[in-house]
Amino acid sequence: MCIRDSVSDTGADTRTVHVDLGARSYDILVGGGLVARAGQEIAARLPGIRAAIVTDANVAPLHLDRLSAALDEAGIGHVPIVLPAGETTKSFDHLMQLVDALLGARLERGDAVIALGGGVIGDLSGFAAGIVRRGMRFVQLPTSLLAQVDSSVGGKTGINSPRGKNLIGVFHQPALVLADTDILSTLSRREFAAGYAEVVKYGLIDRPDFFEWLEANHAAIFAGGPARVEAVARCCEAKAAVVADDEREDGNRALLNLGHTFGHALESAVRYDPERLVHGEGVAIGMALAHRFSHRLGLIDGQDVTRVERHLQAVGLPTRIDAIPGPALDVDTLMDRIAQDKKVSRGQLTFILTRGIGQSFIAQDVVPDDVLSLIHISEPTRR
Ligand code: GLY
């Protein structure tokens, strides 16, 4: 994996992060103006292709015309496929609809599925690309911060089952990721902050210097400009390193789940109601809990817990279950959901804990009752 800089035709700085996976290696381009340049960047790497642009009803009015014009300019024939927005689109029904549209458009294996959207569109489109004609080419144009720094990189694709999130899918790496940081200006502050939780995650896993840099630069990242490009590129660099080392999550890739066991349980407990909680907010609460839990186990200083909570709160992210609006969540039900998690084996949970800021590790022997008592102690109103 390497990172290099270039200056685009529009004059905006573009950073290139290379994901080193042998024959499945690819570039992630990070910078402003990439939607307008998408046709030329795609044509340079995938000459002669046709494509489907898969997007959702929220993103289409904002960006589809510009992407379509950029593909026209580069002579890439394409069809748009617009799906409903929201987590429920990651379903068998929509997968079938998408697969049928790709086949109906007579796209071939060498052609590309271009995902223009957030994590839902990226995961669903990647899965369809992975199974149609035994694997079409796949390009990601992530439109949320969360998708730019996490879900668009690394080849995890899939849909949800009524039995849980992301339980059906394949690993299918993209051929190219274009992370246009200008696009992020269309996000609400809340959506941006939710994605920022995943940015903080990379600092907390194993990059203490990055965490310190975020503490000093978060306002500039939220404002846009070079600090935002820098933050997204450094996250992609961190993720590319993890994925190159452990593509199929046999080992350290699991560190990327820091905060996610709690986060997923909380999302499920509010029935994925985005008014109450979105994914990144669940991850923020989960990361704070993982640090409080590590402190309770005597692994880290209270000062580190305070530092993490302060930073999350500084950008408006929640750090406590109590902060979730609406009816109180029942902690026992929450624990039940955690105990059902796919990371449970023989009654013990695999959990990401930490020995300090940027010193996370995979603990395979966490006892669910200890987690329950932590929540009871640190969230007394939830007894
Ligand atoms: N989002 C976690 C991973 O890609 O492994």
Side-chain angles (χ1 to χ4, degrees):
M1 180 265 321
C2 69
I3 193 158
R4 57 183 193 272
D5 300 342
S6 64
V7 176
S8 74
D9 291 353
T10 60
D13 286 340
T14 301
R15 306 277 295 264
T16 302
V17 179
H18 185 68
V19 186
D20 196 357
L21 284 169
R24 295 182 308 292
S25 297
Y26 54 96
D27 284 341
I28 306 162
L29 271 50
V30 182
L34 281 166
V35 171
R37 281 166 45 210
Q40 73 192 58
E41 299 291 355
I42 294 170
R45 290 165 180 83
L46 306 173
I49 59 154
R50 292 174 63 233
I53 304 173
V54 184
T55 190
D56 72 33
N58 287 347
V59 172
L62 297 172
H63 309 299
L64 181 57
D65 283 352
R66 270 185 316 133
L67 178 57
S68 194
L71 297 189
D72 280 342
E73 220 173 273
I76 300 174
H78 58 279
V79 290
I81 301 172
V82 182
L83 298 168
E87 187 71 28
T88 48
T89 300
K90 271 175 69 168
S91 65
F92 265 121
D93 282 353
H94 289 100
L95 177 68
M96 261 164 36
Q97 199 181 316
L98 175 53
V99 163
D100 189 59
L102 294 173
L103 294 172
R106 297 183 184 280
L107 292 170
E108 297 172 4
R109 185 187 282 167
D111 291 330
V113 176
I114 302 175
L116 174 69
V120 167
I121 287 296
D123 286 4
L124 174 71
S125 310
F127 188 20
I131 58 176
V132 168
R133 301 190 193 280
R134 298 205 175 94
M136 296 177 60
R137 279 138 140 197
F138 177 42
V139 174
Q140 290 259 29
L141 263 106
T143 57
S144 68
L145 178 58
L146 185 142
Q148 292 196 354
V149 299
D150 184 31
S151 58
S152 68
V153 178
K156 279 190 180 175
T157 75
I159 56 172
N160 300 328
S161 145
R163 294 179 188 277
K165 267 187 96 163
N166 298 326
L167 292 181
I168 305 151
V170 294
F171 285 94
H172 186 61
Q173 298 292 344
L176 176 67
V177 181
L178 299 173
D180 185 337
T181 47
D182 289 345
I183 271 190
L184 303 179
S185 302
T186 58
L187 301 178
S188 68
R189 172 151 183 125
R190 185 180 173 212
E191 284 169 313
F192 193 88
Y196 186 81
E198 301 279 358
V199 174
V200 174
K201 183 184 78 175
Y202 292 105
L204 296 179
I205 290 174
D206 63 354
R207 294 177 185 233
D209 295 353
F210 183 51
F211 183 77
E212 208 175 310
W213 182 79
L214 293 174
E215 287 179 309
N217 289 285
H218 63 85
I221 296 166
F222 273 68
R228 181 180 289 177
V229 176
E230 175 76 18
V232 173
R234 284 173 76 172
C235 292
C236 290
E237 187 186 13
K239 178 132 191 196
V242 173
V243 170
D245 182 53
D246 178 22
E247 185 181 5
R248 296 180 67 87
E249 200 169 309
D250 298 316
N252 277 345
R253 184 163 180 168
L255 288 169
L256 296 173
N257 296 328
L258 173 64
H260 283 63
T261 301
F262 278 122
H264 284 158
L266 291 167
E267 279 183 276
S268 157
V270 301
R271 297 176 188 279
Y272 302 99
D273 176 357
E275 300 289 319
R276 297 188 66 193
L277 188 78
V278 290
H279 177 72
E281 293 166 343
V283 170
I285 297 173
M287 292 192 300
L289 278 163
H291 281 73
R292 294 210 289 277
F293 190 41
S294 300
H295 178 51
R296 189 169 147 75
L297 296 173
L299 294 166
I300 61 168
D301 277 355
Q303 279 170 344
D304 284 346
V305 181
T306 309
R307 219 175 129 195
V308 171
E309 292 188 328
R310 275 217 187 110
H311 184 55
L312 295 170
Q313 286 159 5
V315 298
L317 282 165
T319 55
R320 303 210 161 237
I321 300 173
D322 272 347
I324 301 172
L329 300 184
D330 173 46
V331 171
D332 294 321
T333 314
L334 198 63
M335 279 316 299
D336 211 46
R337 288 176 204 273
I338 287 177
Q340 302 274 356
D341 195 282
K342 54 184 179 295
K343 297 168 207 83
V344 174
S345 151
R346 298 189 187 151
Q348 298 197 315
L349 274 173
T350 298
F351 223 86
I352 311 306
L353 296 177
T354 181
R355 297 192 180 87
I357 291 188
Q359 296 178 58
S360 296
F361 66 97
I362 303 165
Q364 260 145 359
D365 51 359
V366 171
V367 179
D369 274 356
D370 288 351
V371 184
L372 179 61
S373 68
L374 163 84
I375 300 178
H376 277 159
I377 286 167
S378 73
E379 305 256 353
T381 58
R382 295 290 172 199
R383 266 170 208 267

